[in-house]
């Protein structure tokens, strides 16, 4: 297909851009009002600095927010993404605009909504108002407020008792440098519903820096089973920010997986709030920075109700002069008795110049809980390396084998074959 | 008789301490050589130095494999040439299955010899055959390499690797240690099954026990970093009877 893209990178990050976006989307006034309120919070919230505990190891001084522009029109055409994957639905978002959106009619018939947030705000305002921005409010931080002012995106709603068997896939891309995008996904699963959503951020290489400030809000209602996967494969010129929060209701089971392979500098907050008794959450993370990539993951296992279970495993491999931060908190509220919470972060350094910081935290305000955390940072064991080389593997092959083995227990826990395969390929590319 | 490996006047330091002090030894093709020595004589140093462990610093001498100097080669290149070390303490590699590892190793060696990678069905067949020789359950192939293996399983896994890689020089570093009599018999049968006119076997051991099962052609005695005497299989029995002190007295080793 001929691609003739209208390039209108006109407006910088500003109040005009907020108004322009709202106009372009022709959204209800209450959405516009929300955006403007968020913009005000953004404006009066100071930029985080390394003086702030959360940003102590991630320096934003080189981030020039005024160098990015929003597209004020949807790109003309963009090659639709083909896929042989079995899936229930698919959406493609290009430079911040939804260019393709489809949902299996048999799924739609059961009342499942998969639409743009704008459409949802028009057609189902009561749903959007009930959930949007409640997990990631403006107070969450300066970037959350900015995203609340400028984001657009997708809404997935799975009604009571509806099981969506095949995953829904969302693909976000940026086509050029200098762009700012604010992707957002809102997922609501009602009682006894189930669904899987796989979201991927991807871009080809470009020269100038671009910015992505993403927001994900996932609500798993009573006895719901939701699975959410986020794969970040931006090119090396993207500043990536992500606020991804999960609310897990009574007896619900939520699994989330975050994979970080791309971007220049990435700061991701992944939080699970266990709000109903019997809620269960698995949080998996895999990251592999190389060269001068810098990844910062902050996680929260927020146990607000009794008898909940959360299990977090984040594993990272670092090459070259890359840098990673993992800071994880298990927070057990008063009254959240019989909490079972586990947190593990393991880091493998492939170079002397790479650095990983691992900061586990526990805050326990109940007296009948089981909590544990473990963290490790270390180089490849030279004896393991020698053992493999003594069998004829080159140093590179031996390292690759050790890295594959390091990630294996985590990869094994991903029940999605397509994700697993692409992940193994991506790790191979990182190793070569 | 044709030689496969020639070690001349080998000096090796470990952490700046000289352990091998001019060791010379020649291995013949198709023969089994046993090197026996007391604790601290340099047995493990010899095996690690031959395999190319970076912490074993060669300060003098030469090691020739079919006339090629191997001392400048890395551990991987030596393995690709056909030098194999069965480790006394094999490392476990979590997350890497035995089968996956063996296939990578076999294909690395083949690649170095300009051979095509082995097809998966051929590899499977070969693996199953060799595992049945070693009386290993097929489930072994799916287990993580040495992870949670018993002492006997680890040694059998080493011999399995040797069988799969078909080396030209096989060095067995105290393979008998920690094995009960049944495991020792199985491992020895595995080694015997691999004997062929092309392969030299070097058994490094403290005790002559394993030599009851794998009959050596030659026995060499290692004391204080040197081979002090060599002989036929009868030498092992004499050592067993008289002890290493007898050797020390016979071949007074200068300090």
């Amino acid at each position: 297909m001929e691609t003739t893209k209208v390039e209108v990178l006109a407006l910088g990050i500003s109040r005009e851009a907020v108004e322009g976006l709202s106009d372009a989307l022709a959204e209800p006034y209450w959405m516009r009002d929300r955006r403007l309120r968020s913009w005000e919070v953004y404006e009066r919230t100071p930029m985080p600095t390394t003086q702030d505990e959360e940003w102590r190891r991630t320096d934003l001084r080189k981030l020039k927010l005024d160098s990015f522009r929003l597209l004020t029109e949807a790109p003309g055409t963009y090659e639709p993404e083909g896929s042989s994957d079995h899936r229930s639905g698919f959406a493609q978002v290009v430079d911040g605009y939804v260019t393709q959106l489809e949902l299996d009619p048999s799924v739609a018939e059961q009342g499942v909504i998969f639409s743009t947030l704008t459409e949802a705000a028009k057609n189902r305002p009561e749903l959007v108002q009930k959930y949007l921005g409640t997990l990631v409010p403006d107070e969450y931080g300066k970037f959350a407020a900015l995203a609340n002012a400028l984001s657009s995106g997708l809404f997935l709603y799975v009604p009571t008792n509806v099981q969506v068997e095949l995953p829904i896939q969302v693909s976000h891309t940026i086509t050029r440098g200098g762009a700012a995008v604010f992707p957002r996904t809102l997922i609501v699963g009602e009682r006894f519903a189930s669904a899987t959503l796989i979201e991927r951020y991807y871009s080809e290489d470009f020269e100038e820096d671009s910015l992505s400030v993403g927001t994900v809000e996932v609500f798993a209602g009573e006895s719901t089973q939701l699975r959410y996967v986020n794969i970040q494969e931006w090119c090396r010129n993207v500043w990536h920010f992500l606020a991804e929060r999960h609310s897990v209701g009574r007896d619900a089971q939520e699994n989330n997986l975050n994979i970080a392979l791309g971007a220049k500098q990435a700061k991701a907050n992944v939080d699970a709030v266990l709000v109903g008794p019997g809620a269960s959450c698995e949080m998996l993370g895999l990251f592999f920075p190389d060269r001068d990539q810098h990844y910062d993951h902050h996680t929260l296992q927020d146990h607000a109700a009794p008898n909940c279970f959360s299990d977090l495993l984040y594993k990272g491999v670092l090459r070259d002069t890359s840098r990673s931060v993992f800071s994880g908190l298990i927070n057990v509220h008063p009254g959240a008795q019989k909490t079972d919470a586990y947190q593990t972060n393991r880091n493998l350094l492939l170079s002397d110049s790479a650095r990983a910081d691992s900061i586990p935290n526990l805050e326990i305000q109940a007296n009948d809980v089981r909590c544990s955390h473990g963290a490790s940072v270390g180089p490849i064991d030279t004896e393991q390396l020698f053992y493999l080389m003594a069998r004829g593997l080159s140093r590179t092959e031996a390292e690759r084998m050790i890295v594959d083995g390091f990630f294996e227990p985590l990869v094994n826990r991903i029940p999605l074959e397509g994700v697993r395969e692409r992940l193994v390929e991506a790790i191979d590319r990182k190793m070569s | 008789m044709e030689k496969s490996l020639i070690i001349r006047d080998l000096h090796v330091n470990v952490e700046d301490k000289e352990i091998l002090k001019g060791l010379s030894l020649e291995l013949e093709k198709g023969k089994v050589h046993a090197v026996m020595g007391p604790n601290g004589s340099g047995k493990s140093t010899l095996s690690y130095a031959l395999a190319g462990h970076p912490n074993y610093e060669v300060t003098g001498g030469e090691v020739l494999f079919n006339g090629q100097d191997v001392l400048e080669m890395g551990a991987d290149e030596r393995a690709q040439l056909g030098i194999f070390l069965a480790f006394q303490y094999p490392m476990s590699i979590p997350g890497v299955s035995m089968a996956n590892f063996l296939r990578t190793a076999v294909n690395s060696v083949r690649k170095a010899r300009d051979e095509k990678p082995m097809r998966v069905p051929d590899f499977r067949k070969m693996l199953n055959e060799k595992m049945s020789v070693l009386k290993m359950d097929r489930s072994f192939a799916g287990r993580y390499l040495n992870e949670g293996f018993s002492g006997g399983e680890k040694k059998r896994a080493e011999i399995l690797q040797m069988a799969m890689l078909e080396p030209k020089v096989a060095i067995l570093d105290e393979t008998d240690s920690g094995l009960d009599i049944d495991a020792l018999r199985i491992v020895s049968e595995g080694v015997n099954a691999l004997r062929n006119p092309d392969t030299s076997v070097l058994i490094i051991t403290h005790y002559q026990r394993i030599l009851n099962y794998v009959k050596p052609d030659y026995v060499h005695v290692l004391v204080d970093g040197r081979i002090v005497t060599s002989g036929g299989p009868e030498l092992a029995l004499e050592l067993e009877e008289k002890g290493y002190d007898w050797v020390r007295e016979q071949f007074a080793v200068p300090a």
Side-chain angles (χ1 to χ4, degrees):
Chain A
M1 191 195 292
E2 183 78 5
T3 55
T4 52
K5 204 162 77 63
V6 186
E7 292 188 353
V8 193
L9 283 178
L11 294 170
I13 292 169
S14 61
R15 190 186 167 93
E16 289 68 41
V18 176
E19 290 168 339
L21 176 77
S22 191
D23 289 347
L25 295 171
E27 58 188 15
Y29 281 112
W30 59 266
M31 279 290 286
R32 184 188 178 93
D33 290 345
R34 289 173 65 119
R35 289 185 187 281
L36 291 170
R37 280 199 303 276
S38 298
W39 176 258
E40 278 161 26
V41 176
Y42 165 73
E43 281 210 301
R44 64 170 183 262
T45 307
M47 189 60 142
T49 70
T50 50
Q51 303 299 305
D52 301 299
E53 180 53 35
E54 194 187 328
W55 296 87
R56 219 154 73 83
R57 294 168 183 83
T58 296
D59 190 347
L60 297 177
R61 276 176 299 184
K62 286 187 182 145
L63 173 69
K64 303 293 173 215
L65 282 178
D66 54 11
S67 67
F68 304 111
R69 298 284 179 276
L70 282 86
L71 270 166
T72 53
E73 284 177 45
T77 56
Y78 185 82
E79 204 76 45
E81 190 175 299
S83 169
S84 54
D85 291 357
H86 296 288
R87 57 194 185 193
S88 293
F90 175 68
Q92 187 169 52
V93 186
V94 182
D95 292 337
Y97 290 87
V98 178
T99 55
Q100 198 184 342
L101 195 147
E102 43 194 64
L103 180 66
D104 188 324
S106 68
V107 173
E109 269 168 25
Q110 299 178 69
V112 173
I113 301 172
F114 184 47
S115 73
T116 64
L117 268 169
T118 310
E119 253 179 86
K122 286 174 191 164
N123 302 333
R124 299 298 297 274
E126 78 293 351
L127 274 180
V128 175
Q129 284 170 347
K130 183 176 174 188
Y131 294 107
L132 186 71
T134 59
L135 270 178
V136 186
D138 298 337
E139 296 70 37
Y140 194 70
K142 187 168 178 79
F143 289 94
L146 178 63
N148 287 344
L150 284 167
S151 61
S152 55
L154 297 157
F155 179 51
L156 172 65
Y157 177 79
V158 187
T160 302
N161 288 327
V162 173
Q163 271 78 51
V164 182
E165 300 289 342
L166 298 174
I168 290 174
Q169 297 180 345
V170 178
S171 168
H172 299 266
T173 192
I174 300 174
T175 61
R176 52 169 296 167
V181 295
F182 302 89
R184 183 173 203 116
T185 303
L186 173 61
I187 301 168
V188 177
E190 296 282 21
R191 297 172 64 228
F192 297 98
S194 74
T196 295
L197 190 134
I198 303 168
E199 190 154 33
R200 178 169 178 243
Y201 300 114
Y202 170 81
S203 71
E204 301 287 339
D205 290 340
F206 40 70
E207 292 291 314
E208 270 176 282
D209 284 1
S210 282
L211 170 72
S212 171
V213 184
T215 312
V216 177
E217 292 171 297
V218 180
F219 294 86
E222 187 186 326
S223 300
T224 295
Q225 288 192 31
L226 291 182
R227 186 177 289 278
Y228 175 79
V229 179
N230 186 298
I231 305 167
Q232 188 273 103
E233 293 180 286
W234 293 127
C235 74
R236 292 176 188 279
N237 287 70
V238 176
W239 293 79
H240 174 74
F241 298 86
L242 177 69
E244 177 191 316
R245 306 199 79 214
H246 306 259
S247 165
V248 192
R250 175 185 285 265
D251 296 327
Q253 164 74 47
E254 211 264 353
N255 302 67
N256 58 71
L257 165 67
N258 281 267
I259 296 169
L261 301 164
K264 174 199 205 75
Q265 182 164 312
K267 165 74 160 57
N269 288 68
V270 182
D271 302 348
V273 191
L274 299 119
V275 295
S280 169
C281 187
E282 177 192 54
M283 304 173 77
L284 300 179
L286 183 154
F287 53 92
F288 193 158
D290 61 9
R291 299 195 225 166
D292 58 353
Q293 288 177 319
H294 177 114
Y295 296 168
D296 182 335
H297 286 97
H298 272 63
T299 66
L300 172 64
Q301 293 154 269
D302 201 18
H303 283 258
N307 291 299
C308 293
F309 171 78
S310 70
D311 185 15
L312 178 145
L313 175 63
Y314 269 59
K315 292 191 118 178
V317 172
L318 292 89
R319 272 188 74 167
D320 311 323
T321 57
S322 64
R323 186 77 214 275
S324 76
V325 179
F326 171 86
S327 175
L329 171 63
I330 295 175
N331 186 28
V332 181
H333 293 231
Q337 301 295 10
K338 306 283 181 193
T339 287
D340 247 342
Y342 304 95
Q343 183 202 91
T344 307
N345 169 234
R346 308 248 173 259
N347 302 280
L348 184 62
L349 305 175
L350 300 188
S351 117
D352 292 341
S353 325
R355 179 175 162 185
D357 290 316
S358 186
I359 308 132
N361 288 295
L362 288 175
E363 246 176 68
I364 300 176
Q365 302 169 67
N367 57 17
D368 183 12
V369 302
R370 276 201 300 185
C371 293
S372 75
H373 59 71
S376 63
V377 178
I380 280 194
D381 184 319
T382 53
E383 295 304 319
Q384 286 184 345
L385 203 57
F386 172 67
Y387 184 66
L388 295 179
M389 289 176 72
R391 296 297 178 251
L393 278 69
S394 68
R395 190 184 185 87
T396 315
E397 284 174 321
E399 284 187 351
R400 182 177 302 190
M401 186 154 269
I402 290 168
V403 166
D404 285 346
F406 176 77
F407 281 137
E408 218 274 341
L410 202 155
V411 172
N412 233 344
R413 281 166 70 172
I414 306 171
L416 305 161
E417 200 185 337
V419 172
R420 233 174 20 233
E421 281 170 6
R422 259 174 268 178
L423 184 56
V424 169
E425 283 167 22
I427 293 167
D428 271 1
R429 278 197 302 277
K430 280 277 186 178
M431 289 302 295
S432 58
Chain B
M1 186 55 83
E2 213 178 338
K3 307 279 190 272
S4 58
L5 197 74
I6 298 171
I7 305 167
R8 281 195 198 116
D9 194 28
L10 187 65
H11 292 255
V12 176
N13 283 6
V14 182
E15 288 168 356
D16 292 329
K17 186 171 187 286
E18 186 165 61
I19 306 292
L20 296 189
K21 303 166 181 171
L23 183 145
S24 295
L25 180 65
E26 299 191 350
L27 303 186
E28 288 179 12
K29 276 190 184 166
K31 301 292 183 191
V32 175
H33 294 252
V35 166
M36 300 184 68
N39 291 333
S41 57
K43 296 195 298 291
S44 283
T45 300
L46 173 61
S47 50
Y48 278 122
L50 292 178
H53 193 294
N55 292 357
Y56 292 75
E57 188 200 352
V58 176
T59 55
E62 62 180 357
V63 177
L64 301 174
F65 173 86
N66 289 337
Q68 256 182 300
D69 180 8
V70 301
L71 288 178
E72 292 302 312
M73 296 180 185
D76 50 339
E77 294 167 284
R78 297 183 198 196
Q80 289 160 7
L81 276 184
I83 298 176
F84 179 92
L85 169 63
F87 283 64
Q88 184 179 5
Y89 303 111
M91 297 300 296
S92 66
I93 316 280
V96 174
S97 75
M98 189 82 186
N100 182 19
F101 159 68
L102 275 173
R103 200 154 66 84
T104 310
V106 165
N107 285 334
S108 298
V109 171
R110 289 173 72 93
K111 190 175 155 193
R113 294 176 189 159
D114 287 326
E115 292 170 26
K116 281 189 184 144
M118 201 179 239
R119 292 182 19 211
V120 175
D122 296 341
F123 171 79
R124 280 270 156 212
K125 188 162 166 277
M126 182 179 181
L127 182 59
N128 287 336
E129 280 171 12
K130 306 281 186 186
M131 286 195 349
S132 70
V133 170
L134 289 161
K135 301 191 171 52
M136 295 168 90
D137 191 88
R138 284 193 183 187
S139 65
F140 235 85
R143 288 174 67 184
Y144 291 160
L145 184 54
N146 293 324
E147 180 89 336
F149 284 22
S150 70
E153 286 174 334
K154 281 186 187 172
K155 296 298 167 77
R156 260 188 273 179
E158 290 296 290
I159 302 306
L160 174 65
Q161 293 175 37
M162 175 173 133
M164 293 298 291
L165 293 170
E166 299 175 332
K168 299 282 175 265
V169 172
I171 305 160
L172 278 59
D173 186 8
E174 310 242 5
T175 297
D176 51 337
S177 71
L179 289 186
D180 64 32
I181 202 76
D182 292 331
L184 179 61
R185 190 175 289 129
I186 292 166
V187 163
S188 301
E189 280 168 13
V191 175
N192 286 328
L194 295 169
R195 291 180 71 160
N196 69 68
D198 252 0
T199 301
S200 309
V201 178
L202 177 59
I203 296 175
I204 295 178
T205 180
H206 186 109
Y207 304 102
Q208 65 84 42
R209 198 171 66 132
I210 190 173
L211 305 180
N212 292 335
Y213 299 93
V214 185
K215 296 280 180 222
D217 298 295
Y218 304 100
V219 174
H220 313 272
V221 182
L222 175 62
V223 178
D224 291 336
R226 284 189 198 92
I227 299 293
V228 292
T229 185
S230 299
E234 70 290 345
L235 181 57
L237 298 170
E238 197 173 2
L239 261 180
E240 184 79 353
E241 193 185 318
K242 298 180 176 167
Y244 286 110
D245 286 342
W246 164 76
V247 183
R248 282 208 177 85
E249 283 161 24
Q250 284 280 307
F251 306 94
V253 181

